[in-house]
Amino acid sequence: MEYRKLLGTDLTVSAVGFGVWTVGTTWWGVKDDQMAERLLRRALDLGITFFDNADTYASGHAEELQRRVLGGVRAQIVIGTKFGYDIYNHPERPGQQERPHDWTPEYLRKALEGSLKRLGTDYIDYYQLHNPRLDAIQKDDLWAELEQLKAEGLIRAYGTALGPALNERQIEEGIETIRLRHAPTQIIYNLLEQVLGEQILPVAEQEGVSVMARVPHASGLLEGYMTLDTEFEPGDHRNWRMTTNARRKAWMEDGLKKVEQLEVQFLNGRTIGQLALQFALRSPAMASVIPNIYDGKGLEEYAATFDAAPLTDAEYDAMQTLYRANFGLTHDLRGQEVAR
């Protein structure tokens, strides 16, 4: 495992992190807490030390699950969790719909107290605004309270996690986090979806602040298992995002055509999953990537990313040439012709 500084903070994190949402909720098909506990323990054995969570994941269940498994090794791990959604006054909504946010300093304290209790710890290493919009990033009293919590030793560092789905408004949100708050940000970024990283990573490199990437495998397209016949379980969040079968089929057809080209040209002894992580970690500002881990095979594969041949400059440049040409495809997912 490789470890990197989370620039803009005093933290060091494993370059491959563990997003607890894949095992602490039912959004990715893991419904067995015993399996989830085995995966979390094995992740630590493999050198993964950064565990990314949120109070809204199954209304706190994911944080409680993490406490049961990793509460006894607190000094060995870096805990990231998130706040902002009002989980106390608004029940979980169907279809992963967003709850209302509450960005008042008073709610921040309440949310932190709840996470500390569920995680079984007296401090959070990395506390993140969960899917904030620009107004929250510019809310001075909120950030002043975060700084006060840091002074009190209740958190060690803070930043933002942008979302929920990929949206170009997050470019401004990420840049404002870095420039105005000098704080790290978490974005959706992968070989097939680079729109945020193209704009945010150069600013992060310039300012000396880190970025983290989630969904580095493009919601499964870059994991190596998906075919046109792949069906997602009823509770899988990809069914909610792809509102029609036609939309889901178009997304899969487009993505798999691109993945096929990557597999033919760039594996060189790596798996497609390892290639995806190496790509996402390319920038010196990228502190950690957070793949979706829901079985032992994927966990072992991703943790071994640094045992594979490192990505060369020539390979990276060639992949970027493919990406800029839309992998030779003439239309995007909406059926619109791609400018050439």
Side-chain angles (χ1 to χ4, degrees):
M1 182 56 61
E2 184 176 295
Y3 301 89
R4 298 186 176 189
K5 290 286 294 182
L6 182 61
L7 302 175
T9 79
D10 295 328
L11 302 175
T12 298
V13 295
S14 54
V16 177
F18 194 121
V20 185
W21 81 313
T22 57
V23 298
T25 71
T26 59
W27 300 341
W28 291 91
V30 179
K31 302 178 177 65
D32 181 349
D33 273 7
Q34 290 185 339
M35 178 189 295
E37 291 170 7
R38 288 195 298 271
L39 290 172
L40 288 166
R41 290 192 190 96
R42 182 59 179 155
L44 185 62
D45 291 342
L46 293 169
I48 293 175
T49 58
F50 177 60
F51 294 86
D52 188 50
N53 216 319
D55 60 4
T56 193
Y57 296 163
S59 299
H61 173 72
E63 291 182 324
E64 293 171 348
L65 173 70
Q66 182 173 324
R67 180 198 69 233
R68 292 203 306 268
V69 180
L70 301 174
V73 292
R74 180 64 183 92
Q76 299 177 42
I77 64 174
V78 177
I79 294 177
T81 197
K82 310 180 191 75
F83 73 96
Y85 289 118
D86 185 352
I87 67 172
Y88 298 102
N89 298 307
H90 298 274
E92 190 167 359
R93 297 179 172 184
Q96 204 182 343
Q97 297 178 61
E98 287 189 272
R99 291 174 160 113
H101 280 118
D102 187 337
W103 298 118
T104 62
E106 294 77 18
Y107 184 78
L108 164 58
R109 289 238 171 209
K110 179 177 181 177
L112 178 60
E113 289 170 2
S115 285
L116 290 171
K117 181 178 180 180
R118 287 186 294 272
L119 287 162
T121 183
D122 54 7
Y123 67 96
I124 302 296
D125 296 292
Y126 183 47
Y127 206 36
Q128 302 156 85
L129 282 69
H130 199 177
N131 299 339
R133 291 3 179 214
L134 198 61
D135 61 332
I137 298 168
Q138 296 174 339
K139 196 175 187 322
D140 288 340
D141 63 342
L142 173 64
W143 291 81
E145 188 71 3
L146 285 166
E147 190 61 28
Q148 178 60 35
L149 292 170
K150 182 179 176 183
E152 294 174 24
L154 297 174
I155 61 176
R156 294 179 62 195
Y158 48 77
T160 62
L162 305 181
L166 181 63
N167 190 305
E168 290 192 17
R169 66 168 166 74
Q170 293 158 22
I171 295 172
E172 187 176 8
E173 293 161 3
I175 291 173
E176 192 79 344
T177 298
I178 293 166
R179 286 191 169 149
L180 178 64
R181 302 304 178 186
H182 204 71
T185 191
Q186 182 186 134
I187 64 173
I188 294 172
Y189 179 66
N190 58 67
L191 257 168
L192 306 183
E193 298 169 307
Q194 298 185 38
V195 61
L196 301 184
E198 287 175 325
Q199 301 297 318
I200 294 173
L201 283 168
V203 176
E205 292 174 11
Q206 182 183 51
E207 298 292 332
V209 176
S210 278
V211 173
M212 291 185 174
R214 71 177 183 280
V215 200
H217 293 116
S219 296
L221 285 169
L222 293 164
E223 292 178 6
Y225 73 87
M226 196 176 291
T227 71
L228 290 176
D229 297 323
T230 298
E231 295 287 341
F232 305 125
E233 295 187 26
D236 193 299
H237 87 111
R238 287 168 290 191
N239 287 324
W240 304 329
R241 191 178 77 174
M242 308 299 174
T243 53
T244 66
N245 288 335
R247 167 67 175 156
R248 184 163 59 250
K249 182 179 179 182
W251 171 73
M252 293 173 72
E253 287 180 345
D254 178 88
L256 290 173
K257 288 175 183 176
K258 296 172 181 178
V259 171
E260 182 179 9
Q261 295 183 57
L262 294 168
E263 289 178 329
V264 168
Q265 298 183 55
F266 299 111
L267 293 191
N268 298 328
R270 315 173 188 96
T271 67
I272 187 68
Q274 291 170 340
L275 178 69
L277 296 189
Q278 289 187 0
F279 173 86
L281 286 162
R282 179 74 176 184
S283 168
M286 188 63 72
S288 186
V289 293
I290 308 168
N292 296 323
I293 296 169
Y294 28 68
D295 60 40
K297 179 179 180 295
L299 173 58
E300 300 283 339
E301 176 186 334
Y302 305 151
T305 292
F306 301 101
D307 296 332
L311 190 66
T312 68
D313 292 343
E315 288 173 321
Y316 177 82
D317 292 343
M319 285 192 292
Q320 289 298 73
T321 298
L322 264 182
Y323 174 80
R324 287 191 291 269
N326 195 41
F327 292 78
L329 304 181
T330 58
H331 292 76
D332 64 18
L333 285 176
R334 295 167 293 183
Q336 297 177 347
E337 188 172 353
V338 176
R340 306 296 287 238

